[in-house]
């Protein structure tokens, strides 16, 4: 069976370092591994509109931001098809049929949806489109016959929901759809990177992000203001590394070589943690180190992003071509789905013949 990747992001803002470690970095590695037959990367504007219906301009503006982030990180349109969700209307049609295979109570039990409803203070005024977005996500994944979906940990319930829809569809209508698998980062910290405020998840909607496009100055300011251990007041105080965002980020980004370069007096991250826990290591020093580490990782992305700034029309053209290609593939799957559901009336000569015989004057 062909190995196919589908994944994507909502254009609700620029991409941040949580996206980078959670999904983007892995995508680029998988893209360059040569192990995949096809790679589809989707800018999920239609999904973004499910909770931004009153602000389509935000979504419209952020499509190019996300595309720039992709290219700056190393996604390559020669190797991956990058497209815009709304330009592939077949996805909407698939969702419509999948909706009949999912119950309201199953959607209500989806932990990510539950969590996001709470986060957005929807209470009982949840837009129907938002409530059903796991179904639309199943359409996105299955339309491309994706086997592999590289995502952050918050997306696991979505992939599980997709797998259920696939099984249900295949059981009712015959073997048609492919069951995908999620690929999440091995490094637990990267599966769900917290925000700079220490909150559970860095998220565009929470305003606690370090963006890939941040300038060196913005990055430094965010790092220097980062949440650490509130009880670590004097340098001599023993400090806590668990739940300390600076150490969490070091867990996600630090490489051995950065110690040799910036903190040669420490053997590695464990030695640094030990010193902090014992007392005698100040927040400013660890923050400066983290800033240097992040600068190493992000400066090349930032620079590439700046260079791409004068190729905007070409990037839209790339997205147009990608959307066209994606549309072809999704249309094939949709045709298979309709055939399986037996709602392909006009290509069904046997049906027309049968009906003709039934009604013919005998
Ligand atoms: P929004 O607040 O609009 O939902 P978001 O920041 O959650 O935005 P998404 O576009 O929903 O971003 O997520 C895109 C991908 O990035 C998903 O695979 C998701 O799992 C991953 N991701 C998002 N935030 C993080 C994070 N903090 N740590 C790890 N992965 C993340
Ligand atoms: Mg999200």
């Amino acid at each position: 069976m062909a190995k196919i990747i589908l994944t994507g992001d909502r254009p609700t803002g620029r991409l941040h370092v949580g996206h980078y470690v959670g999904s983007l970095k892995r995508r680029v590695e998988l893209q360059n591994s040569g192990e995949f037959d096809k790679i589809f990367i989707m800018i999920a504007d239609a999904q973004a509109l499910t909770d931004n219906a009153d602000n389509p301009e935000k979504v419209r503006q952020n499509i190019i931001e996300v595309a720039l982030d992709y290219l700056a990180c190393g996604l390559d349109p020669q190797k991956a098809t990058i497209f815009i969700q709304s330009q592939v209307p077949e996805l909407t049609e698939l969702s419509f049929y999948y909706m009949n295979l999912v119950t309201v109570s199953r959607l209500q039990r989806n932990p990510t949806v539950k969590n996001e409803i709470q986060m957005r203070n929807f209470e009982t005024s949840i837009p129907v489109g938002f409530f059903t977005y796991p179904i639309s996500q199943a359409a996105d994944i299955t339309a491309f016959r994706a086997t592999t979906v590289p995502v952050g940990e918050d997306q696991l319930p979505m992939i599980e929901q997709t797998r259920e829809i696939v099984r249900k569809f295949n059981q009712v209508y015959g073997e048609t759809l492919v069951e995908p698998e999620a690929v999440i980062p091995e490094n637990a910290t990267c599966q769900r990177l917290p925000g700079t405020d220490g909150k559970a998840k860095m998220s565009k909607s929470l305003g606690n992000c370090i963006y890939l496009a941040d300038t060196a100055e913005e990055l430094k300011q965010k790092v220097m203001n980062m949440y650490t251990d509130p009880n670590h007041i004097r340098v001599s105080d023993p400090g806590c590394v668990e739940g300390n965002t600076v150490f969490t980020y070091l867990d996600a980004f630090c490489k051995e070589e950065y110690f040799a370069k910036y903190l040669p007096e420490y053997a590695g991250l464990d030695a640094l943690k030990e010193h902090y826990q014992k007392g005698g290591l100040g927040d400013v020093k660890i923050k400066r180190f983290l800033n240097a580490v992040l600068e190493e990782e992000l400066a090349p992305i930032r620079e590439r992003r700046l260079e791409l700034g004068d190729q905007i029309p070409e990037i839209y053209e790339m997205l147009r071509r990608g959307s066209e290609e994606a549309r072809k593939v999704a249309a094939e799957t949709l045709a298979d789905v309709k055939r399986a559901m037996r709602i392909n009336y006009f290509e069904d000569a046997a049906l027309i013949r049968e009906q003709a015989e039934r009604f013919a004057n005998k």
Side-chain angles (χ1 to χ4, degrees), residues 10 116 120 133 154-155 201 203:
R10 295 151 41 92
E116 290 182 337
R120 286 164 176 76
Y133 94 74
D154 65 311
Q155 290 299 309
K201 181 175 171 284
S203 167

Side-chain angles (χ1 to χ4, degrees), residues 5 15 27 32 38 62 143 179 238 280 291 296 337:
I5 290 179
L15 297 185
R27 279 181 220 174
N32 296 335
K38 286 296 287 171
N62 279 303
E179 232 180 286
N291 185 51
E296 288 271 356
V337 159

Side-chain angles (χ1 to χ4, degrees), residues 180-201:
E181 259 171 44
V183 173
I184 61 170
E186 278 149 26
N187 179 334
T189 312
C190 298
Q191 295 171 5
R192 184 187 292 246
L193 195 74
T196 49
D197 55 359
K199 290 230 175 79
K201 181 175 171 284

Side-chain angles (χ1 to χ4, degrees), residues 7-24 27 44 47-48 51-52 58 116 119-120 130 133 149-156 185 189-195 200-206 209:
T7 186
D9 305 271
R10 295 151 41 92
T12 49
R14 293 171 165 182
L15 297 185
H16 53 64
V17 295
H19 299 121
Y20 184 64
V21 295
S23 168
L24 217 44
R27 279 181 220 174
Q47 190 188 114
D51 58 334
N52 288 283
K58 171 166 124 185
E116 290 182 337
M119 219 172 81
R120 286 164 176 76
F130 184 82
Y133 94 74
V149 189
V151 282
E153 175 250 29
D154 65 311
Q155 290 299 309
L156 288 180
T189 312
C190 298
Q191 295 171 5
R192 184 187 292 246
L193 195 74
K201 181 175 171 284
M202 180 176 288
S203 167
K204 285 170 266 173
S205 312
L206 295 176
C209 305

Side-chain angles (χ1 to χ4, degrees), residues 76-252:
D76 176 357
Q78 303 293 330
K79 298 180 185 159
T81 305
I82 306 175
F83 70 97
I84 303 177
Q85 185 183 25
S86 64
Q87 303 308 299
V88 184
E90 287 75 9
L91 300 175
T92 326
E93 205 174 329
L94 281 176
S95 305
F96 193 72
Y97 297 123
Y98 294 173
M99 281 190 187
N100 306 329
L101 306 174
V102 181
T103 64
V104 170
S105 71
R106 174 62 183 88
L107 282 174
Q108 276 167 335
R109 280 200 313 273
N110 185 313
T112 305
V113 176
K114 252 189 186 163
N115 200 342
E116 290 182 337
I117 286 173
Q118 228 171 21
M119 219 172 81
R120 286 164 176 76
N121 291 322
F122 279 148
E123 289 171 16
T124 54
S125 49
I126 309 159
V128 173
F130 184 82
F131 184 62
T132 57
Y133 94 74
I135 302 175
S136 123
Q137 213 161 302
D140 304 333
I141 295 170
T142 54
F144 300 96
R145 305 181 176 288
T147 49
T148 311
V149 189
V151 282
E153 175 250 29
D154 65 311
Q155 290 299 309
L156 288 180
M158 298 298 159
I159 313 301
E160 193 42 48
Q161 183 114 50
T162 300
R163 290 165 63 90
E164 281 176 34
I165 291 174
V166 168
R167 287 198 291 265
K168 180 88 185 180
F169 188 100
N170 289 348
Q171 176 212 327
V172 177
Y173 302 114
E175 208 58 36
T176 312
L177 301 174
V178 177
E179 232 180 286
E181 259 171 44
V183 173
I184 61 170
E186 278 149 26
N187 179 334
T189 312
C190 298
Q191 295 171 5
R192 184 187 292 246
L193 195 74
T196 49
D197 55 359
K199 290 230 175 79
K201 181 175 171 284
M202 180 176 288
S203 167
K204 285 170 266 173
S205 312
L206 295 176
N208 56 7
C209 305
I210 293 176
Y211 292 101
L212 295 173
D214 279 349
T215 62
E217 199 40 52
E218 286 166 328
L219 172 64
K220 187 168 171 202
Q221 219 166 46
K222 288 181 183 177
V223 172
M224 294 322 266
N225 288 328
M226 228 156 157
Y227 179 85
T228 56
D229 169 6
N231 299 317
H232 186 245
I233 297 161
R234 271 174 258 113
V235 173
S236 55
D237 290 342
C240 192
V241 299
E242 289 83 27
N244 182 324
T245 325
V246 174
F247 282 101
T248 311
Y249 281 37
L250 286 174
D251 279 331

